[in-house]
Amino acid sequence: MLIGKHLIAGQWLAGNSTFTNEPVSGTPDSFSTGTPELVDMAAKAAEEAFWTYGYSSRAERAVFLRAIAEEIDALGDEITAIGTKETGLPEARLIGERGRTVGQLRLFADHIEKGEYLDLRHDEALPNREPLPRPDLRLMQRPVGPVGVFGASNFPLAFSTAGGDTASALAAGCPVVVKGHSAHPGVSDLVAQAIDKAIKLCGVQPGTFSQIQGGDRAVGQAVVQHPLIRAVGFTGSLGGGRALYDLCAARPEPIPFFGELGSVNPMFILPSALTVRGKQIAEGWAGSLTMGAGQFCTNPGIAVVMEGEDGEAFAEAAKDALSAVAEQVMLTDGIASAYYQGRDRVAATKGVRDVLTTSCDQRKATPYLFATSGKEWLSNHELGDEVFGPLGLIVTVKDLEEMRAVANSLVGQLTCTLHQNDDDSEIAQSLLPILERKAGRILSNGFPTGVEVCDAMVHGGPYPASTNFGATSVGTMAIRRFLRPVCYQNFPTDLLPTDLQ
């Protein structure tokens, strides 16, 4: 059952006002509204918890992460029910997302038990070295302290209360203060209950996790500006993320802001692949473009093709495939409204023509497809702005030189894709060095939706895809965001951290 309050260091607290969720159907649920005062309480509790949790063993933290996973699974049916009510996402999607969420908790537990992430290093003393002796030097990664996490609108489980940012911070040894997303407060409530139960079962200091629901911008600002918060994880819009990033940088003591801000994830369809597999690629693109109503940060919104009959056939095949896609419910009324505005902006841009127009109704989205030339793309940078939803833009270039120019014009992306046949290898080789500088993940003959949680995954990229191009918000390397290296010089063995002894 929903509690409807904030979880602050083991206590469920109510504020002075309430808000309701926006269910697709049924009666709205009421939740206590967050305040900066609650953020202050949570941050202070997190700092107090760090003196124990930050110095807990890897084995203890692994047990805790697995316990959270078990407790989330125990509430699985309830989470699915409230999730479908709040977001309109189908049951299968929410069950799969829960599997990903508990899977990454267990993966992170396994990963920290191995200890490799600590990057242990030891340079032994050289007392007789000339002209100067060398001291004994040992290095390891240590947790940074309390971490602020912002829940994402489009992933009520995998990027929210117990999602990747929270899981990686807890794995690193950092207490967490979550700002829950108002798009799915019911899901956040139940997941917080699961974490609270795991804390009690494992004997973890209760300040290790807190969650504040709802609230206006002042609550989010309080999280990133609180002097006890040492880093922030965020998944969301470019505008909101950039505003929080600037606040982090403007603090008297700036802190890292790990923001994943989305991208258009362009696909480059090379000539031979376009000729031989154009229809197949177009159909695959339509499926990826409309998956989850296009509400994925890896939604491939741009397809770059050579002009000519093959390019026209690709556009026609994409149109046919998209025409068969039924309307889908979007996560919130606000997201739906922003999608319509983005559609209108693209449609009104000089040099853009309609390929497929449909009709949307309130919170329901249908796909749109537009086309433009490489010349128009290069002269209008707004065409590269993300439209969060099932909208695609085909960019037709006249030759390889213009295709490279389009690639060079890109801002930072989460992904870029090359669709290629063997005959396209030379062209692919000429594009690859450009795309390596533009994206955190480069695909060959695939579609970027569906981000694997594993050791080698990179979900990040140059700005504005993310605010820190050296980090990832998915996969085991995400833990490294909330660690910093510490060197111990000439330390007695018994004073060293256990992992260095």
Side-chain angles (χ1 to χ4, degrees):
M1 295 179 62
L2 297 177
I3 296 176
K5 299 179 181 179
H6 315 282
L7 175 60
I8 310 292
Q11 300 183 59
W12 293 93
L13 305 178
N16 296 323
S17 62
T18 61
F19 72 100
T20 60
N21 53 10
E22 299 177 2
V24 176
S25 61
T27 305
D29 304 290
S30 180
F31 301 88
S32 183
T33 305
T35 64
E37 290 74 23
L38 289 166
V39 173
D40 182 58
M41 292 173 60
K44 288 176 178 175
E47 174 67 14
E48 181 63 28
F50 182 69
W51 297 111
T52 53
Y53 189 73
Y55 295 86
S56 60
S57 70
R58 291 181 283 113
E60 290 170 330
R61 296 199 299 279
V63 168
F64 178 42
L65 292 172
R66 294 188 182 107
I68 296 173
E70 291 294 327
E71 296 303 326
I72 291 174
D73 270 341
L75 293 174
D77 290 343
E78 292 180 61
I79 289 171
T80 300
I82 188 66
T84 56
K85 174 182 175 180
E86 288 184 320
T87 67
L89 294 173
E91 286 188 7
R93 154 71 191 272
L94 284 162
I95 292 170
E97 191 180 329
R98 175 164 54 87
R100 169 178 168 166
T101 303
V102 298
Q104 67 188 0
L105 284 161
R106 293 174 176 130
L107 173 65
F108 287 0
D110 294 342
H111 184 73
I112 62 173
E113 281 182 331
K114 296 174 184 176
E116 297 171 354
Y117 76 101
L118 294 172
D119 194 18
L120 302 178
R121 304 184 185 200
H122 182 200
D123 290 305
E124 295 184 358
L126 298 175
N128 298 319
R129 188 183 68 174
E130 296 292 343
L132 294 172
R134 184 177 75 187
D136 184 85
L137 299 168
R138 299 172 190 253
L139 177 147
M140 72 176 293
Q141 301 290 332
R142 294 292 302 141
V144 299
V147 171
V149 170
F150 286 75
S153 65
N154 59 334
F155 279 89
L157 289 161
F159 280 90
S160 290
T161 301
D165 289 340
T166 296
S168 52
L170 292 176
C174 299
V176 173
V177 176
V178 170
K179 166 65 173 66
H181 201 286
S182 57
H184 44 75
V187 174
S188 299
D189 184 303
L190 290 175
V191 175
Q193 291 183 45
I195 298 174
D196 186 38
K197 188 171 182 180
I199 285 174
K200 291 177 170 64
L201 288 171
C202 297
V204 172
Q205 215 273 12
T208 298
F209 176 86
S210 294
Q211 176 171 265
I212 297 98
Q213 294 270 37
D216 58 19
R217 292 182 179 179
V219 177
Q221 292 170 356
V223 172
V224 301
Q225 291 181 308
H226 199 286
L228 297 177
I229 296 295
R230 311 310 303 160
V232 174
F234 174 89
T235 297
S237 69
L238 173 58
R242 180 55 194 254
L244 295 173
Y245 172 81
D246 289 343
L247 289 175
C248 285
R251 288 172 42 142
E253 183 183 358
I255 60 172
F257 178 85
F258 297 101
E260 190 273 281
L261 310 181
S263 65
V264 295
N265 305 293
M267 304 188 315
F268 292 81
I269 304 162
L270 304 190
S272 179
L274 184 63
T275 299
V276 176
R277 298 185 289 113
K279 183 176 186 293
Q280 176 187 346
I281 296 170
E283 291 171 349
W285 182 39
S288 182
L289 183 68
T290 59
M291 183 184 296
Q295 297 168 120
F296 291 101
C297 43
T298 52
N299 175 27
I302 307 295
V304 184
V305 301
M306 293 287 190
E307 67 180 14
E309 292 183 2
D310 291 335
E312 293 171 4
F314 173 85
E316 194 62 29
K319 175 183 177 180
D320 291 343
L322 290 170
S323 297
V325 177
E327 63 183 17
Q328 300 177 73
V329 177
M330 301 199 83
L331 292 161
T332 67
D333 292 332
I335 289 173
S337 177
Y339 174 57
Y340 308 150
Q341 292 172 16
R343 170 204 62 191
D344 294 343
R345 172 180 57 80
V346 174
T349 302
K350 176 180 176 294
V352 172
R353 64 180 177 87
D354 297 340
V355 178
L356 172 67
T357 60
T358 54
S359 59
C360 298
D361 178 37
Q362 297 179 342
R363 195 165 160 178
K364 296 177 181 178
T366 51
Y368 286 80
L369 183 61
F370 299 95
T372 192
S373 67
K375 180 181 178 181
E376 293 294 345
W377 168 277
L378 292 169
S379 65
N380 192 335
H381 295 297
E382 285 191 1
L383 290 175
D385 293 345
E386 180 182 25
V387 177
F388 195 61
L391 182 147
L393 175 66
I394 299 172
V395 180
T396 302
V397 297
K398 62 184 180 181
D399 52 28
L400 176 57
E401 182 180 353
E402 191 167 71
M403 181 174 280
R404 280 198 295 260
V406 168
N408 266 312
S409 74
L410 295 169
V411 296
Q413 304 291 328
L414 293 172
T415 74
C416 288
T417 300
L418 289 169
H419 286 278
Q420 62 191 83
N421 284 355
D422 290 343
D423 293 343
D424 295 314
S425 292
E426 186 175 344
I427 299 175
Q429 288 177 348
S430 73
L431 284 169
L432 185 56
I434 301 172
L435 301 186
E436 286 176 343
R437 299 185 67 184
K438 300 295 183 178
R441 177 164 58 111
I442 306 168
L443 295 84
S444 175
N445 293 331
F447 299 95
T449 43
V451 181
E452 187 70 25
V453 182
C454 59
D455 290 330
M457 176 53 62
V458 173
H459 190 62
Y463 184 84
S466 61
T467 56
N468 189 314
F469 60 79
T472 176
S473 61
V474 177
T476 55
M477 200 174 77
I479 299 170
R480 291 291 298 267
R481 296 175 297 168
F482 306 120
L483 298 166
R484 64 181 183 86
V486 177
C487 176
Y488 300 83
Q489 180 170 326
N490 287 339
F491 257 66
T493 301
D494 59 348
L495 284 181
L496 287 168
T498 302
D499 287 311
L500 270 179
Q501 292 177 8

